[in-house]
Amino acid sequence: MSDIIQLLPDHVANQIAAGEVVQRPASVVKELLENAIDAHATSIKLIVKDAGKTLIQVIDDGEGMSTTDARLSFERHATSKIRTADDLFKLNTKGFRGEALASIAAIAHVELKTKQEEDEVGTSIIIEGSEVVEQEVVVTPKGTSIAVKNLFFNIPARRNFLKSNTVELRHIVDEFHRVALAHPNIAFAMYHNGSEVFMLPESNYRQRIVNIFGNKTNEKLVPVNEDTEVIKISGFVGKPEYAKKSRGEQFFFVNNRFIKSAYLNHAIASAFEGLLKDGAHASYFLNLEVNPQTIDINIHPTKTEIKFDDEHTLYAILRASVKHSLGQFNIAPVLDFDRDADLDTPYDYQNKGVKVPVIEVDKGFNPFQEERTASNTQTRSFKKEPAGSREGLYVGLESKGTKSQKDFSEVRYESDEKTASMFQNENEVEQQQSTYQLHNKYIISKIKSGMLLIDQHKAHQRILYEDFLQYITVKEAMSQQLLFPLQLHFSPQEIAIIKQVKEDLEHTGFMFDNITEDGLEITGVPVSVPESEVSIILEQLISDVENEVPDSNFSAADLLAKSMSKSLAIKTGQGLTMQEQEHLVNKLFACKEPSVSPTNKPTFITMNIDELDRKFL
């Protein structure tokens, strides 16, 4: 039998590696920005066209590369970050695998221009699908400029599975946020389709957060600082009253590298226990500095997961640090055994002298002198009578009994008819009730063939979805004016999303008076929407727009109707009266598609008598 195992060609191996390293345009942005930081750049510019599908260009003023390094950088496992295996446990750079540029060059058209400070001219290299098309000397400023064009040009399946430009741009912005927050000492700029998205000057950490998420963010931040032998923690957490339903503003940085850790996130949630509403998530921007030898970064191609030597200690320190900061800045109540608040002197009494209090006594008051009855205003004086013998207690009992019988004959009782009338139509009531609620989650309804089991949350979603869709596309919805305009604050990116769907929101009944870069003013809301739910609805809408998977029938109106129905539908665990249950059932089966929710989940199931009978065989 002949040999069948053979080495794959380099371009095939690079495409396989690209499947792990480059998942979408945001992955390319992350790798190129991190390379610029490793080159000790002080200013980095990101230029994007068509959400990265047409162009991703990163320009930095770093150290640059020689001609040999520029050509070698596109080879697999070629890197300047490490030399030996031991270097993996003392990493101080972003990259170390040597796979990123080779993977990117395998699936895109790449143009590189680079020059070192001591050189007079630089190097230009053009690569298409791992093949070097052109290499020449070029005049270019110090640093590196790398442009990635036509991503996935030779893998059409991957390109077709990319989401809409809005969604892909959001992922790019997220990666930009993560890198920019980790390095406030570096100036960043981002442009999309020729327009400026971010212009972040060199600043401190707090100012960098404010520059990215808006000026209103400054009042939301609570500083966190803790320095121990194990870990050094610095950064900010958000105040509980500004917590959001989404997890968008949650950032952990370990040695200036963004990571995701559900375990450490739980430590933050535990520190906020009792301070957040149900379903709300606290914001945090925390930098953790640990010994590089105590962590392992080499466990995932994206390098967003890290293994710690002692996670339990980090959990305890992180939780205690956040709790201490919340207490220190009077965000959460604390116990201070050295101070008694009851002994504090009010400000108005600090300059007053001490004097003996004056006590007034009514010398003529006698509580036993007289008694005023509730039935009349006559008073009667009490007279103490001598105690008699034990037999004296029964004297005159016979006469009193006669009188008591007379009195009892005049007592009026509640008529028996009124008591019995509550239950006289018991059979009729049972016949009228056609729906039952099970565990405040399902509605059971009787049908001719058996039983109908309805999920109340999904059913109400379907009802609201069709109503909102009709308001947006066919008729104008009713709007209720607010007595006082509602002021809401969002980040510039979230405001941009709201502007995209503003017209559709107005068709549902929302009325906007003023929209600025970091907030908006609402003067009217749909009739069915409580004022307290407006911010929740808009946060849910923003999250849905960011993560929506577009298809052939995708539209802003459809997305808006889905998002609002999901926010306003009755929740699992909410009790319903019999009239509400019947109304829900009737409205559901008046819908065009009653069998599925807006997310294509079943709203009800049926069980006929035969199925029930088989259960008892």
Side-chain angles (χ1 to χ4, degrees):
M1 185 176 180
S2 59
D3 299 332
I4 58 175
I5 296 178
Q6 58 182 350
L7 288 173
L8 291 174
D10 288 341
H11 68 280
V12 177
N14 289 338
Q15 285 195 11
I16 294 173
E20 292 183 343
V21 178
V22 183
Q23 300 171 356
R24 58 191 341 142
S27 305
V28 177
V29 171
K30 172 181 179 293
E31 298 293 345
L32 298 184
L33 289 177
E34 289 182 348
N35 282 344
I37 292 170
D38 287 339
H40 305 106
T42 59
S43 177
I44 300 174
K45 185 185 296 184
L46 171 64
I47 301 172
V48 178
K49 288 186 179 179
D50 298 332
K53 298 174 183 177
T54 303
L55 171 68
I56 299 172
Q57 185 175 9
V58 173
I59 305 171
D60 67 69
D61 60 353
E63 297 174 346
M65 291 182 284
S66 65
T67 304
T68 305
D69 287 345
R71 181 65 179 267
L72 193 59
S73 64
F74 290 99
E75 299 295 328
R76 289 191 69 204
H77 307 307
T79 180
S80 61
K81 315 298 173 60
I82 62 174
R83 291 288 183 268
T84 64
D86 293 337
D87 293 339
L88 290 172
F89 300 99
K90 48 184 178 181
L91 289 171
N92 293 308
T93 57
K94 301 292 184 182
F96 55 88
R97 297 176 186 275
E99 291 183 330
L101 288 182
S103 300
I104 294 170
I107 55 174
H109 297 163
V110 180
E111 182 178 346
L112 171 70
K113 292 181 181 180
T114 183
K115 173 182 160 312
Q116 292 180 324
E117 187 173 11
E118 60 272 14
D119 295 337
E120 294 183 358
V121 292
T123 303
S124 173
I125 298 177
I126 298 177
I127 298 179
E128 297 179 0
S130 294
E131 295 183 5
V132 178
V133 177
E134 182 181 320
Q135 178 176 345
E136 61 182 2
V137 176
V138 68
V139 176
T140 182
K142 174 211 169 189
T144 302
S145 169
I146 182 167
V148 178
K149 305 175 183 177
N150 303 323
L151 192 65
F152 299 123
F153 79 99
N154 53 355
I155 311 179
R158 289 289 296 274
R159 189 174 181 89
N160 292 337
F161 275 103
L162 291 178
K163 297 183 181 180
S164 66
N165 285 356
T166 303
V167 176
E168 294 298 342
L169 179 63
R170 180 60 190 175
H171 285 285
I172 291 175
V173 170
D174 285 343
E175 293 293 349
F176 183 84
H177 284 172
R178 294 166 182 175
V179 176
L181 285 171
H183 300 275
N185 58 327
I186 300 176
F188 286 90
M190 178 179 172
Y191 301 87
H192 180 244
N193 289 341
S195 60
E196 179 184 300
V197 181
F198 290 102
M199 182 61 70
L200 308 176
E202 181 181 349
S203 62
N204 59 32
Y205 191 41
R206 188 182 194 118
Q207 189 61 45
R208 176 57 56 90
I209 296 173
V210 171
N211 288 338
I212 291 177
F213 294 101
N215 295 328
K216 293 294 181 181
T217 311
N218 190 35
E219 63 189 47
K220 307 176 185 178
L221 301 178
V222 179
V224 178
N225 288 286
E226 190 68 41
D227 193 354
T228 67
E229 295 180 356
V230 179
I231 185 174
K232 181 180 179 182
I233 302 173
S234 62
F236 303 90
V237 294
K239 294 180 181 178
E241 58 265 31
Y242 296 104
K244 294 185 176 182
K245 293 289 183 181
S246 61
R247 298 177 179 268
E249 297 179 359
Q250 295 184 340
F251 297 89
F252 275 125
F253 300 99
V254 175
N255 296 349
N256 294 329
R257 183 192 302 274
F258 173 80
I259 68 159
K260 297 177 182 178
S261 175
Y263 187 68
L264 296 182
N265 180 74
H266 188 273
I268 303 294
S270 179
F272 276 90
E273 186 176 3
L275 300 176
L276 299 177
K277 299 178 182 178
D278 291 339
H281 303 283
S283 302
Y284 53 80
F285 310 86
L286 295 175
N287 295 306
L288 313 179
E289 292 185 24
V290 299
N291 187 346
Q293 296 182 356
T294 63
I295 59 176
D296 185 7
I297 304 171
N298 191 27
I299 62 173
H300 195 274
T302 59
K303 300 187 280 288
T304 56
E305 297 179 14
I306 290 181
K307 290 293 183 183
F308 297 92
D309 281 355
D310 191 357
E311 282 188 331
H312 298 289
T313 302
L314 298 182
Y315 181 99
I317 295 175
L318 183 60
R319 180 176 178 272
S321 301
V322 174
K323 274 200 134 181
H324 175 71
S325 293
L326 293 175
Q328 184 180 10
F329 291 92
N330 295 325
I331 307 300
V334 296
L335 290 175
D336 188 352
F337 295 102
D338 297 330
R339 171 181 170 272
D340 187 352
D342 296 334
L343 301 180
D344 290 348
T345 304
Y347 292 110
D348 296 339
Y349 290 85
Q350 284 184 351
N351 299 324
K352 289 188 177 182
V354 179
K355 62 180 181 179
V356 179
V358 179
I359 301 176
E360 296 181 358
V361 179
D362 185 4
K363 297 181 179 180
F365 175 72
N366 184 0
F368 303 103
Q369 184 176 359
E370 61 184 17
E371 179 190 36
R372 186 177 298 274
T373 62
S375 59
N376 54 53
T377 58
Q378 296 179 358
T379 60
R380 180 177 60 183
S381 61
F382 282 86
K383 181 179 179 182
K384 186 176 181 182
E385 297 184 359
S389 61
R390 185 180 182 85
E391 290 78 7
L393 296 172
Y394 302 98
V395 176
L397 188 61
E398 295 81 2
S399 60
K400 289 181 180 179
T402 306
K403 184 179 179 181
S404 299
Q405 292 175 4
K406 181 180 178 181
D407 293 339
F408 280 126
S409 64
E410 296 177 358
V411 175
R412 295 183 179 181
Y413 296 93
E414 187 176 313
S415 63
D416 294 340
E417 292 182 0
K418 292 182 180 179
T419 306
S421 64
M422 296 176 62
F423 306 99
Q424 65 181 0
N425 297 327
E426 184 176 358
N427 294 332
E428 296 179 12
V429 172
E430 289 184 355
Q431 292 175 359
Q432 293 175 359
Q433 185 171 357
S434 60
T435 60
Y436 304 87
Q437 193 175 22
L438 179 64
H439 296 304
N440 288 344
K441 183 176 183 180
Y442 301 105
I443 296 175
I444 301 175
S445 179
K446 293 180 290 185
I447 54 177
K448 291 182 180 180
S449 60
M451 180 176 66
L452 195 67
L453 193 62
I454 302 172
D455 187 313
Q456 65 183 35
H457 177 63
K458 292 184 175 65
H460 200 211
Q461 277 191 47
R462 164 53 64 176
I463 297 169
L464 293 176
Y465 168 72
E466 294 198 2
D467 287 344
F468 285 130
L469 202 59
Q470 189 176 24
Y471 289 144
I472 296 172
T473 57
V474 180
K475 61 181 181 180
E476 187 174 353
M478 296 291 292
S479 177
Q480 58 180 357
Q481 296 295 306
L482 298 177
L483 184 60
F484 301 102
L486 189 61
Q487 302 281 348
L488 299 176
H489 300 288
F490 295 97
S491 67
Q493 296 76 39
E494 293 171 337
I495 291 294
I497 293 175
I498 292 177
K499 287 181 179 179
Q500 292 177 8
V501 296
K502 176 176 177 288
E503 185 177 352
D504 292 323
L505 282 170
E506 289 174 340
H507 289 161
T508 63
F510 283 97
M511 297 184 68
F512 300 93
D513 186 29
N514 186 27
I515 300 180
T516 61
E517 291 184 356
D518 57 358
L520 53 88
E521 188 175 288
I522 297 177
T523 58
V525 296
V527 175
S528 58
V529 177
E531 185 178 344
S532 59
E533 296 283 333
V534 173
S535 61
I536 299 175
I537 292 172
L538 293 181
E539 286 180 13
Q540 181 67 55
L541 174 63
I542 292 168
S543 176
D544 290 342
V545 171
E546 292 172 354
N547 302 308
E548 180 67 21
V549 180
D551 53 25
S552 57
N553 299 322
F554 172 78
S555 68
D558 181 72
L559 173 61
L560 179 60
K562 286 181 180 178
S563 182
M564 292 184 63
S565 64
K566 183 164 56 175
S567 300
L568 294 174
I570 55 176
K571 304 298 186 289
T572 297
Q574 182 176 341
L576 301 176
T577 63
M578 188 174 66
Q579 289 78 12
E580 290 172 337
Q581 296 171 28
E582 292 179 352
H583 179 73
L584 185 68
V585 174
N586 294 334
K587 288 281 288 182
L588 175 64
F589 289 99
C591 294
K592 295 180 179 179
E593 294 288 344
S595 59
V596 293
S597 70
T599 55
N600 291 323
K601 301 290 179 62
T603 57
F604 65 87
I605 59 172
T606 57
M607 294 186 68
N608 56 40
I609 296 297
D610 294 337
E611 290 182 56
L612 293 174
D613 289 340
R614 284 195 294 270
K615 299 290 184 183
F616 294 94
L617 293 178

